[in-house]
Amino acid sequence: MTAPERPLRRADIRREREAHILKAAEKVFAEAGFGGATMQLIADMAGLPKANLHYYFATKEDLYRRVVRNIFEIWLHAADAMDAAAGPAEGIGAYIDAKMEISRRHPFGSKVWASEVMHGAPVIQDYLETTLRDWTEGRCAVIQRWIDAGLMAPVDPRHLLYMLWASTQHYADFGHQIETLNGGKPLSDRDWAAAKRSVKGLILRGIGLPAPSGKQPPDAPPGSRRRDAPAPARD
Amino acid sequence: MTAPERPLRRADIRREREAHILKAAEKVFAEAGFGGATMQLIADMAGLPKANLHYYFATKEDLYRRVVRNIFEIWLHAADAMDAAAGPAEGIGAYIDAKMEISRRHPFGSKVWASEVMHGAPVIQDYLETTLRDWTEGRCAVIQRWIDAGLMAPVDPRHLLYMLWASTQHYADFGHQIETLNGGKPLSDRDWAAAKRSVKGLILRGIGLPAPSGKQPPDAPPGSRRRDAPAPARD
DNA sequence: TCAAAACCTGACCGTATGGTCAAGAGGCAG
DNA sequence: CTGCCTCTTGACCATACGGTCAGGTTTTGA
């Protein structure tokens, strides 16, 4: 009972406090934007005196930069879901799941990220030009390979990625609008499941795959129904 | 030549000046956010002394409110494209075209709109709860009717709308990111055409329609191919 | 036990912001 | 021309902001 008794050494405390501040900052930046956020608001949200913030983060911009980089890491990590996949159905399906989960679990971070990019990426332009560009090219290559292998319809991989980003991120960035259109109530577990299913269904069909292959519990016996012939579209 | 000689009466001048200021304000709000925008910046952008802004718009918030409402009108008007259509192919296709055109022609307004919603719609919450809600319910009903008539796959109309909004708006809101991934250059006419085509193709296929029905010159004879089996892509 | 290091915070400062105002410039009707 | 109303603007004000700092408290290592 000596080791786990005091696991909170100096460095741990510092890391903990920083994380606490970062969480408060993320929320305030998301709700007010960089310009609208004030150190005082963040301090209040974190329950600390303003001067203490400046002890851990020299400037407002430093704090903001840390918040943005944090969410960028998470955002980028969602790619892992796509890597391990054999084909487009699992790969893109898993990626959609991962990104929808990010929108749900990190709505503030998502908004901060959106805001940052919308305002011209003043603090992460270099990341866009290096990490993100590499990442994007890698995924495009993978998708192109799937297309060449005849595993999916020949769509422009770049615009497919944009659509994936847009469709999933929308549930965070425009969450307020969605909530309003949902009768003022936040999406329930069921709603989120339906959202995921809709997005996956639309996109997977959009790239020429028949049905949301993955988990699809309470709906119909798998494989028993096809809805490919939507009444030959009438046209 | 007496009537059109001086069409600029007092009221016209006022309207003209207001429009000029609104345009400058839209850009500044889009680039800096509401909190980051300053009346001085807007004044400089408009080439006017700051005090003159306050003659036309009492407060920064008034100015902002006007900008937001303007873009909301445009945004809502894009619906007209969907109304006149007989079926989902033309209706949704035209809507995508219209919204992509908005993203292209009004990138600043789009960003202001996104920012407003992201921050909880402080100034247009009432619009969301009335106009937008009615609009949305109307379109959902139309889409549901199409589904019931067997004209498209049975998708959740609400999530389909979200995807339409997200996918098209993305090209404005995340335009900077797209530009960066495009080698730092803005999308060309050709790029925009490809974007439109991709979005339309993905979504129309996503709702069970075979091909971007409208203008689609070089691809395949319409109606001659079905690609339900995921293998035969490659065509 | 003790000195040094890390941490905390109330009070303070220079600046930039949204907004005001009073004094004019310009133009229109009579 | 003349009086009146719209428009324009430089100077100004109170406030709130990001950031600093000196002096205190707690923790750490020896």
Side-chain angles (χ1 to χ4, degrees), chain A residues 12-94:
Chain A
D12 299 298
I13 291 198
R14 176 156 200 125
R15 215 167 307 145
E16 200 177 67
R17 287 257 197 283
E18 282 187 358
H20 179 68
I21 294 171
L22 283 168
K23 192 176 169 188
E26 183 180 273
K27 187 171 183 190
V28 173
F29 282 132
E31 286 174 347
F34 178 80
T38 71
M39 292 302 266
Q40 190 60 63
L41 246 83
I42 296 170
D44 292 347
M45 180 74 61
L48 295 169
K50 187 178 66 137
N52 207 353
L53 255 63
H54 280 100
Y55 176 73
Y56 284 101
F57 300 93
T59 69
K60 182 183 172 187
E61 202 175 313
D62 277 350
L63 183 47
Y64 176 73
R65 202 187 316 270
R66 284 285 300 273
V67 170
V68 170
R69 295 206 177 167
N70 274 4
I71 190 66
F72 183 60
E73 292 300 325
I74 293 174
W75 198 88
L76 215 56
H77 257 319
D80 302 347
M82 207 162 157
D83 278 333
E90 308 100 72
I92 292 177

Side-chain angles (χ1 to χ4, degrees), chain A residues 125 159 171 176 180 205-206, chain B residues 125 133 159 171 176 205-206:
Chain A
Q125 180 61 27
H159 293 291
Y171 285 87
H176 178 80
T180 297
R205 241 191 328 263
Chain B
Q125 180 61 26
R133 193 175 286 180
H159 292 292
Y171 286 87
H176 178 80
R205 236 187 336 257

Side-chain angles (χ1 to χ4, degrees), chain B residues 59-196:
Chain B
T59 69
K60 182 183 171 184
E61 202 176 313
D62 276 350
L63 183 48
Y64 175 73
R65 204 188 315 271
R66 285 284 301 273
V67 170
V68 170
R69 295 205 177 166
N70 274 5
I71 189 67
F72 184 59
E73 292 300 324
I74 294 174
W75 198 87
L76 215 56
H77 258 318
D80 302 347
M82 207 162 158
D83 279 332
E90 308 100 72
I92 292 177
Y95 187 51
I96 292 172
D97 276 334
K99 295 230 63 190
M100 288 295 279
E101 211 54 34
I102 291 179
S103 283
R104 186 178 191 184
R105 303 298 171 194
H106 302 277
F108 300 129
S110 292
K111 286 177 185 177
V112 172
W113 171 256
S115 208
E116 163 70 7
V117 173
M118 265 195 345
H119 297 139
V123 320
I124 39 102
Q125 180 61 26
D126 52 334
Y127 277 67
L128 293 191
E129 287 173 3
T130 55
T131 316
L132 180 65
R133 193 175 286 180
D134 294 346
W135 184 94
T136 303
E137 272 165 23
R139 304 310 135 170
C140 282
V142 170
I143 293 170
Q144 191 58 55
R145 226 171 295 138
W146 285 338
I147 293 173
D148 294 342
L151 297 174
M152 54 179 280
V155 304
D156 185 326
R158 209 164 279 265
H159 292 292
L160 171 59
L161 277 182
Y162 296 160
M163 184 175 254
L164 288 170
W165 295 344
S167 304
T168 54
Q169 182 123 15
H170 187 80
Y171 286 87
D173 300 345
F174 287 73
H176 178 80
Q177 181 173 286
I178 290 175
E179 195 173 314
T180 297
L181 293 177
N182 191 43
K185 285 171 300 195
L187 296 192
S188 65
D189 287 359
R190 194 185 309 272
D191 293 331
W192 274 99
K196 269 191 197 173

